[in-house]
Coordinates of all heavy atoms in Angstrom, one line a residue:
M177 N -52.9 -25.0 15.9 CA -51.7 -25.9 16.0 C -52.2 -27.4 16.4 O -51.6 -28.3 15.9 CB -50.8 -25.4 17.1 CG -49.5 -26.1 17.3 SD -48.5 -25.8 15.8 CE -47.0 -26.6 16.3
D178 N -53.2 -27.5 17.2 CA -53.7 -28.9 17.5 C -54.2 -29.6 16.3 O -54.0 -30.8 16.2 CB -54.8 -28.8 18.6 CG -54.3 -28.5 20.0 OD1 -53.0 -28.7 20.2 OD2 -55.1 -28.0 20.8
F179 N -54.8 -28.9 15.4 CA -55.3 -29.5 14.1 C -54.1 -30.1 13.3 O -54.3 -31.2 12.8 CB -56.0 -28.4 13.3 CG -56.6 -28.9 12.1 CD1 -57.7 -29.7 12.1 CD2 -56.1 -28.6 10.8 CE1 -58.3 -30.2 11.0 CE2 -56.6 -29.1 9.7 CZ -57.8 -29.9 9.7
I180 N -53.0 -29.5 13.3 CA -51.9 -30.0 12.5 C -51.3 -31.3 13.2 O -51.0 -32.2 12.6 CB -50.8 -28.9 12.4 CG1 -51.3 -27.8 11.5 CG2 -49.5 -29.5 11.8 CD1 -50.4 -26.6 11.4
V181 N -51.3 -31.2 14.6 CA -50.8 -32.4 15.3 C -51.8 -33.6 15.1 O -51.3 -34.7 15.0 CB -50.7 -32.0 16.8 CG1 -50.4 -33.3 17.6 CG2 -49.7 -31.0 17.0
W182 N -53.1 -33.3 15.1 CA -54.1 -34.4 14.8 C -53.8 -35.0 13.4 O -53.9 -36.2 13.2 CB -55.5 -33.8 14.9 CG -56.1 -34.0 16.2 CD1 -56.3 -32.9 17.1 CD2 -56.6 -35.1 16.9 NE1 -56.8 -33.4 18.3 CE2 -57.0 -34.8 18.1 CE3 -56.7 -36.5 16.5 CZ2 -57.6 -35.7 19.0 CZ3 -57.2 -37.4 17.4 CH2 -57.7 -37.0 18.6
I183 N -53.5 -34.2 12.4 CA -53.3 -34.7 11.1 C -52.0 -35.5 11.1 O -52.0 -36.6 10.5 CB -53.2 -33.5 10.1 CG1 -54.5 -32.8 9.9 CG2 -52.6 -34.0 8.7 CD1 -54.5 -31.6 9.1
I184 N -51.0 -35.1 11.7 CA -49.7 -35.9 11.7 C -49.9 -37.2 12.5 O -49.5 -38.2 12.0 CB -48.6 -35.0 12.3 CG1 -48.3 -33.9 11.4 CG2 -47.4 -35.9 12.6 CD1 -47.3 -32.8 12.0
F185 N -50.6 -37.1 13.6 CA -50.9 -38.3 14.5 C -51.8 -39.3 13.7 O -51.5 -40.5 13.7 CB -51.6 -37.8 15.7 CG -51.7 -38.8 16.8 CD1 -50.6 -39.1 17.6 CD2 -52.9 -39.5 17.0 CE1 -50.7 -40.0 18.6 CE2 -53.0 -40.5 18.0 CZ -51.9 -40.7 18.8
G186 N -52.8 -38.8 13.0 CA -53.6 -39.6 12.2 C -52.9 -40.2 11.0 O -53.1 -41.4 10.7
A187 N -52.0 -39.5 10.4 CA -51.3 -40.0 9.3 C -50.4 -41.1 9.7 O -50.3 -42.2 9.0 CB -50.4 -38.9 8.7
I188 N -49.7 -41.0 10.8 CA -48.8 -42.0 11.3 C -49.6 -43.3 11.7 O -49.3 -44.4 11.3 CB -48.0 -41.5 12.5 CG1 -47.0 -40.5 12.1 CG2 -47.3 -42.7 13.2 CD1 -46.4 -39.7 13.2
A189 N -50.7 -43.1 12.5 CA -51.5 -44.3 12.9 C -52.2 -44.9 11.7 O -52.2 -46.2 11.6 CB -52.6 -43.8 13.9
G190 N -52.7 -44.2 10.7 CA -53.3 -44.8 9.5 C -52.3 -45.5 8.7 O -52.6 -46.5 8.1
W191 N -51.1 -44.9 8.6 CA -50.1 -45.5 7.7 C -49.6 -46.9 8.3 O -49.5 -47.9 7.6 CB -48.9 -44.6 7.6 CG -47.7 -45.1 6.9 CD1 -47.7 -45.5 5.6 CD2 -46.4 -45.3 7.4 NE1 -46.4 -46.0 5.2 CE2 -45.6 -45.9 6.3 CE3 -45.8 -45.1 8.6 CZ2 -44.3 -46.2 6.5 CZ3 -44.5 -45.4 8.8 CH2 -43.7 -46.0 7.7
I192 N -49.4 -46.9 9.6 CA -49.0 -48.1 10.3 C -50.1 -49.2 10.2 O -49.8 -50.4 9.9 CB -48.6 -47.9 11.8 CG1 -47.3 -47.0 11.8 CG2 -48.4 -49.2 12.5 CD1 -46.9 -46.5 13.2
A193 N -51.3 -48.8 10.4 CA -52.5 -49.7 10.3 C -52.6 -50.2 8.9 O -52.9 -51.4 8.7 CB -53.8 -49.0 10.7
S194 N -52.4 -49.4 7.9 CA -52.5 -49.8 6.5 C -51.3 -50.8 6.1 O -51.6 -51.8 5.3 CB -52.4 -48.7 5.5 OG -51.2 -48.1 5.5
I195 N -50.2 -50.7 6.8 CA -49.1 -51.7 6.6 C -49.5 -53.0 7.2 O -49.3 -54.0 6.7 CB -47.8 -51.1 7.1 CG1 -47.3 -50.0 6.3 CG2 -46.7 -52.2 7.2 CD1 -46.1 -49.2 6.8
I196 N -50.0 -52.9 8.5 CA -50.4 -54.1 9.2 C -51.5 -54.9 8.4 O -51.4 -56.1 8.3 CB -51.0 -53.8 10.6 CG1 -49.8 -53.3 11.5 CG2 -51.6 -55.0 11.2 CD1 -50.2 -52.7 12.8
M197 N -52.5 -54.2 7.8 CA -53.6 -54.8 7.1 C -53.2 -55.0 5.6 O -54.1 -55.4 4.8 CB -54.8 -53.9 7.2 CG -55.4 -53.8 8.6 SD -55.8 -55.4 9.3 CE -57.3 -55.8 8.4
K198 N -52.0 -54.7 5.2 CA -51.5 -54.9 3.8 C -52.4 -54.2 2.8 O -52.7 -54.7 1.7 CB -51.4 -56.4 3.5 CG -50.4 -57.2 4.4 CD -50.4 -58.6 4.0 CE -49.3 -59.3 4.7 NZ -49.4 -59.6 6.1
K199 N -52.7 -53.0 3.1 CA -53.5 -52.1 2.2 C -52.7 -50.8 1.9 O -53.3 -49.9 1.4 CB -54.8 -51.7 2.8 CG -55.7 -52.9 3.1 CD -57.1 -52.5 3.5 CE -58.0 -53.6 3.8 NZ -58.4 -54.3 2.6
N200 N -51.4 -50.8 2.2 CA -50.6 -49.6 2.0 C -50.5 -49.2 0.6 O -50.6 -48.0 0.3 CB -49.2 -49.8 2.6 CG -48.5 -48.6 2.8 OD1 -49.0 -47.5 3.0 ND2 -47.2 -48.6 2.6
K201 N -50.5 -50.1 -0.3 CA -50.3 -49.8 -1.8 C -51.6 -49.2 -2.3 O -51.6 -48.5 -3.3 CB -49.9 -51.0 -2.6 CG -48.5 -51.4 -2.3 CD -48.1 -52.6 -3.1 CE -46.7 -53.0 -2.8 NZ -46.2 -54.2 -3.5
K202 N -52.8 -49.5 -1.7 CA -54.1 -49.1 -2.2 C -54.5 -47.7 -1.6 O -55.4 -47.1 -2.1 CB -55.2 -50.1 -1.8 CG -54.9 -51.4 -2.5 CD -56.0 -52.4 -2.0 CE -55.7 -53.8 -2.6 NZ -56.6 -54.8 -2.1
M203 N -53.8 -47.3 -0.5 CA -54.2 -46.1 0.2 C -53.3 -45.0 0.0 O -52.1 -45.2 -0.1 CB -54.3 -46.4 1.7 CG -55.4 -47.4 2.1 SD -55.5 -47.8 3.8 CE -55.7 -46.2 4.6
G204 N -53.8 -43.8 -0.1 CA -52.9 -42.6 -0.2 C -52.8 -41.9 1.1 O -53.3 -42.3 2.1
A205 N -52.2 -40.8 1.1 CA -51.9 -40.0 2.3 C -53.2 -39.5 2.9 O -53.4 -39.6 4.2 CB -51.0 -38.8 2.0
I206 N -54.1 -39.0 2.2 CA -55.4 -38.5 2.7 C -56.2 -39.7 3.4 O -56.7 -39.5 4.5 CB -56.3 -37.8 1.6 CG1 -55.5 -36.7 1.0 CG2 -57.6 -37.4 2.2 CD1 -55.2 -35.5 1.9
A207 N -56.2 -40.8 2.7 CA -56.9 -42.0 3.3 C -56.3 -42.4 4.6 O -56.9 -42.7 5.6 CB -56.9 -43.1 2.3
N208 N -54.9 -42.4 4.7 CA -54.2 -42.7 5.9 C -54.6 -41.8 7.0 O -54.8 -42.2 8.2 CB -52.7 -42.7 5.7 CG -52.2 -44.0 5.0 OD1 -52.9 -45.0 5.1 ND2 -51.1 -43.9 4.3
I209 N -54.7 -40.5 6.7 CA -55.0 -39.5 7.7 C -56.4 -39.7 8.2 O -56.6 -39.7 9.5 CB -54.8 -38.1 7.2 CG1 -53.4 -37.8 6.9 CG2 -55.4 -37.0 8.1 CD1 -53.1 -36.5 6.1
V210 N -57.4 -39.9 7.3 CA -58.8 -40.1 7.7 C -58.9 -41.4 8.5 O -59.5 -41.4 9.6 CB -59.7 -40.1 6.5 CG1 -61.1 -40.5 6.8 CG2 -59.7 -38.7 5.8
V211 N -58.3 -42.5 8.1 CA -58.4 -43.7 8.8 C -57.7 -43.6 10.2 O -58.3 -44.1 11.2 CB -57.8 -44.9 8.0 CG1 -57.5 -46.1 8.8 CG2 -58.6 -45.2 6.8
G212 N -56.6 -42.9 10.3 CA -55.9 -42.7 11.5 C -56.8 -41.9 12.5 O -56.8 -42.3 13.7
I213 N -57.4 -40.9 12.1 CA -58.1 -40.0 13.0 C -59.4 -40.7 13.4 O -59.7 -40.8 14.6 CB -58.5 -38.7 12.3 CG1 -57.2 -37.8 12.2 CG2 -59.5 -37.9 13.2 CD1 -57.3 -36.6 11.4
I214 N -60.1 -41.3 12.5 CA -61.3 -42.1 12.9 C -60.9 -43.3 13.7 O -61.6 -43.6 14.7 CB -62.1 -42.5 11.6 CG1 -62.7 -41.3 10.9 CG2 -63.2 -43.5 12.0 CD1 -63.3 -41.6 9.5
G215 N -59.8 -43.9 13.4 CA -59.3 -45.0 14.2 C -59.0 -44.7 15.6 O -59.2 -45.5 16.6
A216 N -58.5 -43.4 15.8 CA -58.2 -43.0 17.2 C -59.5 -42.9 18.0 O -59.5 -43.3 19.2 CB -57.5 -41.6 17.1
F217 N -60.5 -42.4 17.4 CA -61.8 -42.3 18.1 C -62.4 -43.7 18.4 O -62.9 -44.0 19.4 CB -62.8 -41.4 17.3 CG -62.5 -40.0 17.4 CD1 -62.0 -39.3 16.3 CD2 -62.7 -39.3 18.6 CE1 -61.8 -37.9 16.4 CE2 -62.4 -37.9 18.7 CZ -62.0 -37.2 17.6
L218 N -62.4 -44.5 17.3 CA -62.9 -45.9 17.4 C -62.1 -46.7 18.5 O -62.7 -47.4 19.3 CB -62.8 -46.6 16.1 CG -63.4 -48.0 16.0 CD1 -64.9 -48.0 16.4 CD2 -63.2 -48.6 14.6
G219 N -60.8 -46.6 18.4 CA -60.0 -47.3 19.4 C -60.2 -46.8 20.8 O -60.3 -47.7 21.8
G220 N -60.4 -45.6 21.0 CA -60.7 -45.0 22.3 C -62.0 -45.5 22.8 O -62.2 -45.8 24.0
Y221 N -63.0 -45.6 21.9 CA -64.3 -46.0 22.3 C -64.3 -47.5 22.7 O -64.9 -47.9 23.7 CB -65.3 -45.8 21.1 CG -66.7 -46.3 21.4 CD1 -67.5 -45.6 22.3 CD2 -67.2 -47.4 20.8 CE1 -68.8 -46.0 22.5 CE2 -68.5 -47.8 21.0 CZ -69.3 -47.1 21.9 OH -70.6 -47.5 22.2
I222 N -63.6 -48.3 21.9 CA -63.5 -49.8 22.2 C -62.8 -50.0 23.5 O -63.2 -50.8 24.4 CB -62.7 -50.5 21.1 CG1 -63.6 -50.5 19.8 CG2 -62.4 -51.9 21.5 CD1 -62.9 -51.0 18.6
M223 N -61.7 -49.2 23.8 CA -61.0 -49.3 25.1 C -61.9 -49.0 26.2 O -61.9 -49.6 27.3 CB -59.7 -48.5 25.1 CG -58.7 -49.0 24.2 SD -58.1 -50.6 24.7 CE -57.7 -51.3 23.2
Q224 N -62.7 -47.9 26.0 CA -63.6 -47.5 27.1 C -64.7 -48.6 27.3 O -65.0 -48.9 28.5 CB -64.3 -46.2 26.7 CG -65.2 -45.6 27.7 CD -65.9 -44.3 27.2 OE1 -65.9 -44.0 26.1 NE2 -66.5 -43.6 28.2
L225 N -65.2 -49.2 26.3 CA -66.1 -50.3 26.5 C -65.5 -51.5 27.2 O -66.2 -52.2 28.0 CB -66.6 -50.8 25.1 CG -67.6 -49.9 24.4 CD1 -68.0 -50.5 23.0 CD2 -68.9 -49.7 25.2
L226 N -64.2 -51.7 27.0 CA -63.5 -52.8 27.7 C -63.1 -52.5 29.1 O -62.6 -53.3 29.8 CB -62.3 -53.3 26.9 CG -62.6 -53.9 25.5 CD1 -61.3 -54.1 24.7 CD2 -63.4 -55.1 25.6
G227 N -63.3 -51.2 29.5 CA -63.0 -50.8 30.8 C -61.5 -50.4 31.0 O -61.0 -50.3 32.1
V228 N -60.8 -50.2 29.9 CA -59.4 -49.9 29.9 C -59.3 -48.3 29.9 O -59.9 -47.7 29.0 CB -58.6 -50.5 28.7 CG1 -57.2 -50.0 28.8 CG2 -58.7 -52.0 28.7
E229 N -58.6 -47.8 30.8 CA -58.5 -46.3 30.9 C -57.2 -45.9 30.1 O -56.1 -46.3 30.5 CB -58.5 -45.8 32.3 CG -58.9 -44.4 32.4 CD -59.2 -44.0 33.9 OE1 -59.9 -44.8 34.5 OE2 -58.7 -43.0 34.3
V230 N -57.4 -45.1 29.1 CA -56.3 -44.7 28.3 C -56.1 -43.2 28.6 O -57.0 -42.4 28.6 CB -56.5 -44.9 26.8 CG1 -55.4 -44.4 25.9 CG2 -56.8 -46.4 26.5
E231 N -54.8 -42.8 28.8 CA -54.5 -41.4 29.0 C -54.7 -40.6 27.8 O -54.2 -41.0 26.7 CB -53.0 -41.4 29.5 CG -52.5 -40.0 29.8 CD -51.1 -40.0 30.3 OE1 -50.6 -41.0 30.9 OE2 -50.4 -39.0 30.0
A232 N -55.4 -39.5 27.9 CA -55.6 -38.7 26.8 C -54.4 -37.9 26.4 O -53.5 -37.6 27.2 CB -56.8 -37.7 27.1
G233 N -54.3 -37.5 25.2 CA -53.2 -36.7 24.7 C -52.4 -37.4 23.6 O -52.8 -38.5 23.2
F234 N -51.3 -36.8 23.2 CA -50.5 -37.4 22.2 C -49.3 -38.0 22.8 O -48.3 -37.4 23.1 CB -50.1 -36.3 21.2 CG -51.3 -35.7 20.5 CD1 -51.7 -34.4 20.9 CD2 -51.9 -36.3 19.5 CE1 -52.8 -33.8 20.3 CE2 -53.0 -35.8 18.9 CZ -53.4 -34.5 19.3
N235 N -49.4 -39.4 23.1 CA -48.3 -40.1 23.6 C -48.3 -41.5 23.0 O -49.1 -41.8 22.1 CB -48.5 -40.2 25.2 CG -49.9 -40.7 25.6 OD1 -50.4 -41.7 25.0 ND2 -50.5 -40.0 26.5
F236 N -47.4 -42.4 23.4 CA -47.2 -43.7 22.8 C -48.5 -44.5 23.0 O -48.9 -45.2 22.0 CB -46.0 -44.3 23.3 CG -45.7 -45.6 22.7 CD1 -45.2 -45.6 21.3 CD2 -45.8 -46.8 23.3 CE1 -44.9 -46.8 20.7 CE2 -45.5 -48.0 22.7 CZ -45.1 -48.0 21.4
T237 N -49.0 -44.5 24.2 CA -50.2 -45.3 24.4 C -51.4 -44.9 23.5 O -52.1 -45.7 22.9 CB -50.7 -45.2 25.9 OG1 -49.5 -45.5 26.7 CG2 -51.8 -46.1 26.2
S238 N -51.6 -43.6 23.4 CA -52.6 -43.1 22.5 C -52.4 -43.5 21.0 O -53.3 -43.8 20.3 CB -52.7 -41.6 22.6 OG -53.1 -41.2 23.9
L239 N -51.1 -43.5 20.6 CA -50.8 -44.0 19.3 C -51.1 -45.4 19.1 O -51.7 -45.8 18.1 CB -49.3 -43.7 19.0 CG -48.8 -44.1 17.6 CD1 -49.5 -43.3 16.5 CD2 -47.3 -44.0 17.5
L240 N -50.8 -46.3 20.1 CA -51.2 -47.7 20.0 C -52.7 -47.9 19.9 O -53.2 -48.7 19.1 CB -50.6 -48.4 21.2 CG -49.1 -48.6 21.2 CD1 -48.7 -49.3 22.5 CD2 -48.6 -49.3 20.0
V241 N -53.4 -47.1 20.7 CA -54.9 -47.2 20.6 C -55.4 -46.8 19.3 O -56.3 -47.4 18.7 CB -55.5 -46.4 21.8 CG1 -57.0 -46.3 21.6 CG2 -55.2 -47.0 23.1
A242 N -54.8 -45.7 18.7 CA -55.2 -45.2 17.4 C -54.9 -46.2 16.3 O -55.7 -46.4 15.4 CB -54.5 -43.9 17.1
I243 N -53.8 -46.9 16.4 CA -53.4 -47.9 15.4 C -54.4 -49.1 15.5 O -54.9 -49.6 14.5 CB -52.0 -48.4 15.6 CG1 -51.0 -47.2 15.3 CG2 -51.7 -49.6 14.8 CD1 -49.6 -47.5 15.7
F244 N -54.7 -49.5 16.8 CA -55.7 -50.6 17.0 C -57.0 -50.2 16.4 O -57.6 -51.0 15.7 CB -55.8 -50.9 18.5 CG -56.9 -51.8 18.8 CD1 -56.9 -53.1 18.5 CD2 -58.1 -51.3 19.5 CE1 -58.0 -53.9 18.8 CE2 -59.1 -52.1 19.8 CZ -59.1 -53.4 19.5
G245 N -57.5 -49.0 16.6 CA -58.8 -48.6 16.1 C -58.7 -48.5 14.6 O -59.7 -48.9 13.9
A246 N -57.6 -48.1 14.0 CA -57.5 -48.0 12.6 C -57.5 -49.4 11.9 O -58.1 -49.6 10.9 CB -56.3 -47.2 12.2
V247 N -56.8 -50.3 12.6 CA -56.8 -51.7 12.1 C -58.3 -52.3 12.1 O -58.7 -52.9 11.1 CB -55.9 -52.6 12.9 CG1 -56.1 -54.1 12.6 CG2 -54.4 -52.2 12.6
V248 N -59.0 -52.0 13.2 CA -60.4 -52.5 13.3 C -61.2 -51.8 12.2 O -62.0 -52.5 11.5 CB -61.0 -52.2 14.7 CG1 -62.5 -52.4 14.7 CG2 -60.3 -53.0 15.7
L249 N -61.0 -50.5 12.0 CA -61.8 -49.8 10.9 C -61.5 -50.4 9.5 O -62.4 -50.7 8.7 CB -61.4 -48.3 11.0 CG -62.1 -47.5 9.9 CD1 -63.6 -47.5 10.1 CD2 -61.6 -46.1 10.0
L250 N -60.2 -50.7 9.2 CA -59.8 -51.2 7.9 C -60.4 -52.6 7.8 O -60.8 -53.0 6.7 CB -58.3 -51.2 7.8 CG -57.7 -49.9 7.5 CD1 -56.2 -50.0 7.5 CD2 -58.2 -49.2 6.3
F251 N -60.4 -53.4 8.9 CA -61.0 -54.7 8.8 C -62.5 -54.7 8.5 O -63.0 -55.4 7.6 CB -60.8 -55.5 10.2 CG -61.4 -56.8 10.2 CD1 -60.8 -57.9 9.6 CD2 -62.6 -57.0 10.9 CE1 -61.4 -59.1 9.6 CE2 -63.2 -58.2 11.0 CZ -62.6 -59.3 10.3
I252 N -63.2 -53.8 9.2 CA -64.6 -53.6 8.9 C -64.9 -53.1 7.5 O -65.8 -53.6 6.8 CB -65.3 -52.7 10.0 CG1 -65.2 -53.3 11.3 CG2 -66.7 -52.3 9.6 CD1 -65.6 -52.4 12.5
L253 N -64.1 -52.2 7.0 CA -64.3 -51.7 5.7 C -64.0 -52.8 4.7 O -64.6 -52.9 3.6 CB -63.4 -50.5 5.4 CG -63.7 -49.2 6.2 CD1 -62.7 -48.1 5.9 CD2 -65.1 -48.7 5.7
G254 N -63.0 -53.6 5.0 CA -62.7 -54.8 4.1 C -63.8 -55.8 4.0 O -64.1 -56.3 2.9
L255 N -64.5 -56.0 5.1 CA -65.7 -56.9 5.1 C -66.8 -56.3 4.1 O -67.4 -57.1 3.4 CB -66.3 -57.0 6.5 CG -65.5 -57.8 7.5 CD1 -66.1 -57.8 8.8 CD2 -65.2 -59.2 7.0
F256 N -67.0 -55.0 4.2 CA -68.0 -54.4 3.3 C -67.6 -54.4 1.8 O -68.5 -54.6 1.0 CB -68.4 -53.0 3.8 CG -69.3 -53.0 5.0 CD1 -68.8 -52.6 6.2 CD2 -70.6 -53.5 5.0 CE1 -69.6 -52.6 7.3 CE2 -71.4 -53.5 6.1 CZ -70.9 -53.0 7.3
S257 N -66.4 -54.2 1.6 CA -65.9 -54.1 0.2 C -65.9 -55.5 -0.5 O -66.0 -55.6 -1.7 CB -64.5 -53.5 0.1 OG -63.6 -54.3 0.7
R258 N -65.8 -56.6 0.3 CA -65.8 -57.9 -0.3 C -67.2 -58.4 -0.6 O -67.3 -59.3 -1.4 CB -65.2 -58.9 0.7 CG -63.7 -58.7 0.9 CD -63.1 -59.8 1.8 NE -61.8 -59.4 2.1 CZ -61.1 -59.7 3.3 NH1 -61.8 -60.4 4.2 NH2 -59.9 -59.4 3.5
R259 N -68.2 -57.8 0.0 CA -69.6 -58.3 -0.3 C -70.1 -57.8 -1.6 O -71.1 -58.3 -2.1 CB -70.5 -57.7 0.8 CG -70.2 -58.4 2.1 CD -71.2 -58.0 3.1 NE -70.9 -58.6 4.4 CZ -71.8 -58.8 5.3 NH1 -73.0 -58.3 5.2 NH2 -71.4 -59.3 6.5
R260 N -69.4 -56.9 -2.3 CA -69.9 -56.4 -3.6 C -69.7 -57.4 -4.7 O -68.9 -58.1 -4.9 CB -69.2 -55.1 -4.0 CG -69.7 -54.0 -3.1 CD -69.1 -52.7 -3.5 NE -69.3 -51.7 -2.5 CZ -68.9 -50.5 -2.7 NH1 -68.3 -50.1 -3.7 NH2 -69.2 -49.6 -1.8

């Protein structure tokens, strides 16, 4: 059951991040899920580096951190795709 929740959580975070970064038309559902889940880990890591303690679990704060991480991930991926 937790796996399904991670997929839904990742899809929401990835979708919102793709809208913020104006990449929504280029990304599909699978890409949104992957970006959202990786973004959640990346956002949590960045917050930990900054000394911000984020409550674990599926809540609004975690969603914001996941969106932040997904935006950072899309920004970094955008930098690499422009270099080609």
Side-chain angles (χ1 to χ4, degrees):
M177 186 69 171
D178 286 338
F179 183 71
I180 295 171
V181 174
W182 269 104
I183 291 174
I184 293 169
F185 193 79
I188 293 169
W191 176 63
I192 293 171
S194 70
I195 290 172
I196 291 170
M197 295 300 289
K198 296 180 172 72
K199 296 186 182 288
N200 193 32
K201 291 182 181 178
K202 299 176 185 176
M203 294 178 55
I206 301 297
N208 283 334
I209 292 169
V210 171
V211 166
I213 292 173
I214 294 172
F217 286 109
L218 180 61
Y221 180 71
I222 292 171
M223 290 297 147
Q224 184 181 14
L225 287 177
L226 295 174
V228 178
E229 203 164 313
V230 179
E231 184 178 328
F234 298 103
N235 51 48
F236 186 69
T237 306
S238 296
L239 181 63
L240 291 178
V241 170
I243 292 169
F244 169 71
V247 166
V248 169
L249 178 63
L250 288 174
F251 176 77
I252 292 169
L253 291 174
L255 290 176
F256 284 111
S257 66
R258 289 183 189 152
R259 290 187 181 199
R260 290 185 192 183

